[in-house]
Amino acid sequence: EKVAQHYYIAFITLAGFDASGRLKSRCRAEYLWDLANLRQKVGVIEISRKGVLEKAFFIIPSVCSYLTETSKNHFVNNVNRTNLQTQLTEFSAQFDILYDEMKHQRIMTEHPILNLLRRSSGYREKLFFLNALLINLIMLVFYSYECSGTFICGDNEGLDTYRIRPGWNQVVIVLAIFQCALA
């Protein structure tokens, strides 16, 4: 695969200098096997030297596939674009953080249990919220004053304690344990 990537880089570099356009016309899936994969694994940056825009192609390291979309979008949207020097400085400053995240995500992906937890995090967050909503709804509906040992209070009776009705306490405890397991 590395050899194919290097050949692809050489091919597209030469196609950039081909005035006839013959090489560029052959940079299609009919002529190059696994072109979509090669395009995903080969990156390009444009460098301006003395007013001339040059393209530099490189193989994207495999660890970069573990960068999350959230981190990628955060970096792209928050980089200071005042000038090229500040862009490069900010990229260099955030590189270690992004690299650590990519290594962490790789470890999370390689272990089956951690991968399951990583992939199900969105589902677990929604379930956590709905479970908390259910607990609060039960508390709202079945929490009431107790008068003289019953939950039926007359007008002149003193309101002794405020507690959940019998049977619902166990339901709330089970849901609370489930809530801890989701966390």
Side-chain angles (χ1 to χ4, degrees), residues 5-67:
Q5 291 168 351
H6 286 289
Y7 276 125
Y8 176 68
I9 289 172
F11 183 81
I12 56 179
T13 303
L14 290 173
F17 292 105
D18 181 24
S20 68
R22 224 177 74 209
L23 286 176
K24 202 174 270 188
S25 69
R26 296 191 185 258
C27 193
R28 295 192 318 250
E30 302 93 52
Y31 295 102
L32 294 175
W33 178 78
D34 206 15
L35 182 62
N37 184 37
L38 289 171
R39 285 183 174 160
Q40 285 180 344
K41 294 186 178 184
V42 173
V44 62
I45 58 171
E46 294 179 337
I47 302 169
S48 176
R49 289 190 188 156
K50 298 178 183 175
V52 177
L53 194 63
E54 298 176 8
K55 290 184 177 184
F57 297 95
F58 60 94
I59 297 172
I60 300 170
S62 61
V63 73
C64 291
S65 65
Y66 296 103
L67 185 62

Side-chain angles (χ1 to χ4, degrees), residues 66-97:
Y66 296 103
L67 185 62
T68 61
E69 283 297 318
T70 305
S71 295
K72 194 182 304 183
N73 291 336
H74 181 267
F75 176 74
V76 168
N77 293 331
N78 294 326
V79 69
N80 185 352
R81 290 181 169 78
T82 309
N83 59 38
L84 292 175
Q85 185 176 359
T86 56
Q87 279 182 294
L88 186 59
T89 305
E90 281 202 24
F91 175 73
S92 299
Q94 290 195 17
F95 178 76
D96 290 333
I97 297 166

Side-chain angles (χ1 to χ4, degrees), residues 1 18 26 37-38 46 53 57 64 81 85 99 104 114 130 140 143-145 148-149 154 165 167 174 180:
E1 185 176 27
D18 181 24
R26 296 191 185 258
N37 184 37
L38 289 171
E46 294 179 337
L53 194 63
F57 297 95
C64 291
R81 290 181 169 78
Q85 185 176 359
Y99 185 66
H104 174 73
L114 296 177
L130 292 174
L140 183 66
Y143 216 65
S144 60
Y145 282 106
S148 307
R165 293 180 185 247
V174 168
C180 291

Side-chain angles (χ1 to χ4, degrees), residues 137-182:
L137 188 64
I138 289 171
M139 297 296 271
L140 183 66
V141 172
F142 296 106
Y143 216 65
S144 60
Y145 282 106
E146 181 180 30
C147 308
S148 307
T150 68
F151 287 96
I152 302 169
C153 299
D155 291 338
N156 297 329
E157 286 187 70
L159 303 174
D160 298 335
T161 57
Y162 198 66
R163 68 184 187 102
I164 197 163
R165 293 180 185 247
W168 290 102
N169 191 29
Q170 290 79 7
V171 173
V172 170
I173 289 172
V174 168
L175 290 174
I177 291 170
F178 182 63
Q179 191 80 348
C180 291
L182 287 174

